[in-house]
Amino acid sequence: MTSREMLTILEDVLQCQRNAEDDWIDEYIYKPFRSSKEIWRYTIDGGKIVVTNQANKESHSGSFRQLLWNRLRLHLVCDTYKQQYERWKELNYGIPYVKIDIVRDSDEGLQSSYDFIRSIWNVNQNEKEQSGLRLLMAEYGMGKSSFCQGVRILASEEIEAAFLYDNASFPFVFDLNEYRNSAFDEFVKNRLSDHYGINIRFSTFEKLCRVGIFSVVLDSWDQMHDTPVMRQTRQDISQFSALWKDKGRVLITCRRSFYQKQLHMKKDKLFDTEDVQIAKFYTLTGFNEKSAKDYFEKANEILETSGKQLVNQNWVEKCWNINSDLFSRPLNLKLLVKHFDIITEKYKLTDERVETYRFLQIILTRWKMENDINSLTHGKDILKSLVMLTLESGLNRSVSLESFKRMIKKEIKSDDHWERIKSVISKLDFVSIEDDKQIEFRLAAYQEFLWAHYVLLELEERKLCGSDKLLNRFMLPQEVRSWIARELKQKESNCLKKQLELVKYKVKADVGYSGSNAITLLRDLNGVDYYKKQLLELAQDLCFRPLDEADLRGLNLMDANFEGSSFVGADLSYTKLDNVIFSDTNLSDVTWEEYGKLQKCAFLNNSVVAGTGSGSLLTFSITDHTAEMQNLADETIRDSNFPHQ
């Protein structure tokens, strides 16, 4: 870093200005209760910071890093990390962070989470900094957020010496699930000030990242506001990328399914080419058998003090053989410790396999019974209202407590009643209330589980879903559909078929996404013979239905009849459509990944004529599955009015 670059950063850190031509900065220090002041002059000499008292010419020198540590009070950031970790540990019933394994995707190299955490800020053995972008991916409950608590506690214990004497970068951890609609630079600036007491411009923070003095951990990218929207995700990456240029180091955690979903969206490229080349990908594996045993060993103290049965290593080993998927998720073990009595009473985990959905359902049922939920609001399900409200807020998992109060105001009888409602809600393991201002789901997975839970209840009613139903209001994302599909696989149900029958001759304004969700779920269940047969039978008459945004990728829909139905925004990529009837079907913005997104289309005998987003004219033969492309100008397609049959 040049002397001029150091002085530019010092201007912001010291909150002082220098003349453009000066090679020093003067800081005015006023004495308490007196009008006199001292002037301290900062200069750069051989990479060292020299500070001179202009009155008595007393001077001191030290490293740029030492000055940043003191003036930005980075030791207080470490104290904050300790407080955040202790608060998390308290929510984890006193059980500390347990290390797990991390796999490097490129060569399946394995390292412990502690070693991986240290590599975020340390230089490696070859003295080459591990700069650039790293993505740490895992699915629900594997410990992504717990890993970030591991970053906090390890940094608070080890970073001072490494930062001051070994050229390590100081790691700043940001929870992206707290991100709202402000610009990313404003989000970082506000979090630095509000959480860590550091008041510097984002441009200064960015410079310190790019020279390797600061590093960044961004937790829960998949839970940022509106990140399911591709253009928003691309914008996020553009804003993040400034932090990993040059010597910058950034670690982003997210679900692998979220990242893969972005890669499948080909309208925009997710990363710039240079960013893809420097990006490194890792997988958080969750607990193995040994770490699960370590976790329960530490949990035994908790169980003993609460008078619960102690867990021995032999029991964990037997459970692992049957329920490794359940036990590999740190989040599940946390809940198992708390609800050990009722879960082990309900299921013999050493002998029978338990799906995570059933596991969480036990906890939900216990909460409802112990708090007499039905009598609390006379049958109104306030938890479902909370799910609805968070989804209406843009798939957010956090909303203001005041907004929740307004939503259920008809159910609130008095101030005391409202206080009881808050108390009961806060007792659910899935929800927390922060400072009596915000109410949120502790994890997106809990929100998704409850979303799936209530959709399953709506499906079992076998009634037309109005606007007060989740099935109607929102298109189900893959994560929620996975919960639902796993449950429906356990039984033979006609609830999806019933929904598709109910939406015939209806319009989207009446039934919303009910039909779209039903047919997409049947697509998810196409590997199950019972549901595959249902879909093939239904395909003979899927006429006059609103199926907008349905996902039918890869299905065999030969001889299907879609006359008069609406598929606006649907995905028909790689779908077999031989001899399909499309008369008067609305295929606006349908995606056929083989050819792009259809802008306009017409049906002429046994073929489809369509304008694509790339400005070409596509003719697609339904009978022999062949296609011809003709290049036309964009304006020709826009001006064309293709007649429908």
Side-chain angles (χ1 to χ4, degrees):
M1 191 186 310
T2 66
S3 297
R4 185 164 293 276
E5 287 173 330
M6 286 186 186
L7 287 172
T8 300
I9 291 171
L10 281 179
E11 277 189 279
D12 194 18
V13 171
L14 299 173
Q15 302 289 299
C16 298
Q17 289 187 337
R18 66 183 173 97
N19 295 327
E21 298 178 357
D22 293 339
D23 57 358
W24 68 79
I25 299 173
D26 284 342
E27 181 183 24
Y28 295 87
I29 301 175
Y30 291 86
K31 294 183 178 180
F33 311 112
R34 297 174 63 182
S35 59
S36 60
K37 64 184 178 184
E38 293 181 346
I39 301 175
W40 291 83
R41 178 162 293 179
Y42 294 77
T43 56
I44 312 294
D45 183 9
K48 295 280 188 179
I49 307 295
V50 180
V51 185
T52 305
N53 186 324
Q54 293 300 93
N56 59 21
K57 300 305 178 180
E58 178 187 353
S59 68
H60 304 274
S61 66
S63 70
F64 186 56
R65 286 172 172 265
Q66 183 69 65
L67 185 134
L68 289 175
W69 181 273
N70 293 339
R71 293 306 296 257
L72 295 178
R73 299 182 294 181
L74 295 180
H75 64 283
L76 295 182
V77 179
C78 291
D79 290 344
T80 300
Y81 284 165
K82 286 180 182 177
Q83 293 167 8
Q84 291 172 332
Y85 173 78
E86 290 300 327
R87 184 170 176 272
W88 168 83
K89 192 169 77 168
E90 182 181 347
L91 293 172
N92 202 36
Y93 316 121
I95 303 170
Y97 176 70
V98 175
K99 69 176 181 180
I100 53 181
D101 290 332
I102 291 175
V103 177
R104 186 169 52 245
D105 287 8
S106 60
D107 59 5
E108 297 187 353
L110 196 69
Q111 63 184 134
S112 78
S113 53
Y114 284 150
D115 291 339
F116 186 82
I117 288 170
R118 291 186 182 99
S119 74
I120 295 171
W121 58 71
N122 284 340
V123 292
N124 64 21
Q125 293 177 347
N126 297 321
E127 296 298 319
K128 294 179 67 176
E129 291 181 313
Q130 296 177 323
S131 56
L133 167 66
R134 285 191 275 181
L135 267 75
L136 179 61
M137 295 179 282
E139 290 307 318
Y140 147 75
M142 287 296 188
K144 297 185 295 296
S145 295
S146 296
F147 167 85
C148 290
Q149 295 299 337
V151 174
R152 288 183 170 102
I153 191 59
L154 204 59
S156 71
E157 295 171 348
E158 299 182 4
I159 195 59
E160 181 175 3
F163 178 78
L164 294 176
Y165 308 117
D166 297 328
N167 290 324
S169 60
F170 190 96
F172 283 89
V173 183
F174 299 100
D175 296 318
L176 291 180
N177 57 52
E178 298 174 351
Y179 180 93
R180 296 298 174 260
N181 289 320
S182 61
F184 180 70
D185 56 352
E186 284 298 312
F187 168 76
V188 170
K189 184 176 181 297
N190 291 337
R191 286 301 179 273
L192 285 172
S193 175
D194 297 344
H195 288 189
Y196 305 128
I198 295 177
N199 293 296
I200 57 175
R201 294 189 296 266
F202 178 78
S203 58
T204 300
F205 181 78
E206 179 189 324
K207 288 175 185 175
L208 289 168
C209 289
R210 294 179 71 157
V211 297
I213 290 178
F214 288 166
S215 52
V216 176
V217 176
L218 301 174
D219 186 27
S220 303
W221 177 28
D222 50 298
Q223 294 174 34
M224 283 180 70
H225 184 63
D226 279 348
T227 43
V229 181
M230 180 61 183
R231 66 175 181 274
Q232 181 66 48
T233 307
R234 185 64 183 85
Q235 182 180 330
D236 296 339
I237 287 294
S238 177
Q239 292 174 325
F240 297 164
S241 63
L243 300 176
W244 66 67
K245 301 298 184 185
D246 303 323
K247 294 182 179 180
R249 308 180 191 188
V250 175
L251 173 71
I252 301 177
T253 76
C254 68
R255 293 183 181 184
R256 183 172 292 277
S257 59
F258 166 81
Y259 178 71
Q260 290 173 335
K261 186 179 353 181
Q262 309 315 312
L263 292 183
H264 288 156
M265 299 180 181
K266 294 188 177 180
K267 185 178 180 182
D268 299 294
K269 291 182 179 179
L270 188 58
F271 292 103
D272 294 334
T273 302
E274 60 179 294
D275 292 329
V276 171
Q277 291 173 346
I278 64 172
K280 303 175 186 70
F281 300 88
Y282 300 84
T283 299
L284 196 65
T285 61
F287 282 160
N288 56 28
E289 184 178 342
K290 181 182 181 304
S291 49
K293 288 179 178 179
D294 290 344
Y295 187 92
F296 274 106
E297 185 176 339
K298 294 175 181 179
N300 270 337
E301 297 177 13
I302 312 300
L303 293 171
E304 187 174 20
T305 55
S306 60
K308 297 178 181 177
Q309 178 184 349
L310 293 180
V311 175
N312 61 54
Q313 300 288 295
N314 187 48
W315 181 85
V316 177
E317 184 176 341
K318 289 180 179 179
C319 290
W320 183 267
N321 293 334
I322 300 294
N323 285 293
S324 59
D325 184 60
L326 191 72
F327 275 56
S328 66
R329 300 176 188 270
L331 190 63
N332 288 347
L333 296 196
K334 168 187 168 181
L335 294 173
L336 178 56
V337 169
K338 182 177 180 181
H339 300 279
F340 190 79
D341 55 345
I342 192 170
I343 292 172
T344 53
E345 179 183 326
K346 178 79 173 177
Y347 294 110
K348 192 172 183 181
L349 297 174
T350 56
D351 295 333
E352 57 184 317
R353 180 178 172 82
V354 180
E355 295 290 340
T356 300
Y357 182 90
R358 302 291 174 88
F359 178 81
L360 297 179
Q361 200 169 39
I362 293 172
I363 296 168
L364 176 62
T365 302
R366 178 181 216 172
W367 172 77
K368 288 183 175 181
M369 293 178 60
E370 290 182 350
N371 294 281
D372 197 11
I373 298 301
N374 289 333
S375 66
L376 182 65
T377 51
H378 304 289
K380 174 75 172 181
D381 196 323
I382 56 174
L383 189 56
K384 183 177 181 179
S385 298
L386 178 60
V387 174
M388 182 78 77
L389 180 60
T390 56
L391 299 182
E392 287 174 349
S393 301
L395 300 182
N396 233 332
R397 76 175 214 227
S398 172
V399 292
S400 72
L401 201 55
E402 190 59 35
S403 297
F404 180 54
K405 184 178 182 180
R406 285 196 300 270
M407 186 173 199
I408 63 170
K409 62 182 180 180
K410 292 182 180 179
E411 316 305 322
I412 301 172
K413 307 305 179 186
S414 64
D415 289 344
D416 288 344
H417 187 217
W418 168 238
E419 291 300 320
R420 185 178 169 225
I421 290 174
K422 287 194 297 181
S423 175
V424 167
I425 285 285
S426 65
K427 291 176 182 176
L428 180 61
D429 294 278
F430 310 151
V431 177
S432 67
I433 296 177
E434 299 292 332
D435 301 323
D436 209 33
K437 293 180 180 178
Q438 288 287 120
I439 182 168
E440 70 171 1
F441 292 104
R442 295 185 188 276
L443 289 172
Y446 291 153
Q447 180 190 42
E448 292 158 3
F449 158 72
L450 289 169
W451 188 353
H453 169 75
Y454 286 116
V455 167
L456 281 165
L457 292 179
E458 291 172 358
L459 286 169
E460 289 303 321
E461 290 177 1
R462 290 172 169 73
K463 296 179 181 178
L464 196 64
C465 291
S467 60
D468 62 332
K469 303 294 186 182
L470 292 166
L471 192 69
N472 171 305
R473 293 286 295 280
F474 308 100
M475 194 66 201
L476 299 173
Q478 178 63 54
E479 293 79 8
V480 177
R481 298 202 317 268
S482 294
W483 288 101
I484 296 170
R486 280 194 294 268
E487 278 303 291
L488 291 178
K489 282 179 182 177
Q490 308 302 315
K491 55 188 176 182
E492 295 184 351
S493 172
N494 68 347
C495 61
L496 299 173
K497 178 181 179 182
K498 185 64 176 179
Q499 278 299 317
L500 286 165
E501 291 171 350
L502 291 169
V503 300
K504 189 172 184 180
Y505 302 119
K506 305 294 182 183
V507 295
K508 186 179 177 183
D510 296 328
V511 297
Y513 291 107
S514 299
S516 305
N517 281 321
I519 198 168
T520 301
L521 282 165
L522 279 174
R523 180 253 179 196
D524 294 339
L525 291 161
N526 196 52
V528 179
D529 288 342
Y530 174 79
Y531 292 103
K532 183 176 184 178
K533 182 179 178 182
Q534 271 192 14
L535 182 59
L536 290 175
E537 291 173 354
L538 282 165
Q540 305 306 308
D541 178 16
L542 280 174
C543 309
F544 307 107
R545 291 171 171 85
L547 302 174
D548 299 351
E549 299 181 39
D551 184 351
L552 300 177
R553 286 174 298 163
L555 287 176
N556 181 356
L557 293 174
M558 293 174 56
D559 302 314
N561 186 351
F562 295 133
E563 180 180 0
S565 289
S566 175
F567 283 90
V568 175
D571 192 342
L572 296 176
S573 300
Y574 307 105
T575 304
K576 287 205 70 173
L577 298 170
D578 303 63
N579 299 314
V580 169
I581 298 174
F582 275 122
S583 299
D584 295 316
T585 301
N586 187 348
L587 291 179
S588 175
D589 282 331
V590 163
T591 296
W592 282 354
E593 201 164 290
E594 307 94 311
Y595 309 112
K597 185 171 284 191
L598 307 185
Q599 301 296 322
K600 294 207 174 184
C601 52
F603 300 95
L604 309 172
N605 298 322
N606 289 325
S607 65
V608 178
V609 182
T612 71
S614 61
S616 300
L617 189 67
L618 164 70
T619 61
F620 183 91
S621 172
I622 294 175
T623 54
D624 60 9
H625 213 67
T626 60
E628 295 180 0
M629 295 289 289
Q630 296 178 350
N631 291 323
L632 295 177
D634 285 345
E635 57 268 24
T636 304
I637 293 176
R638 285 199 299 269
D639 293 339
S640 296
N641 292 309
F642 298 122
H644 288 275
Q645 267 189 303

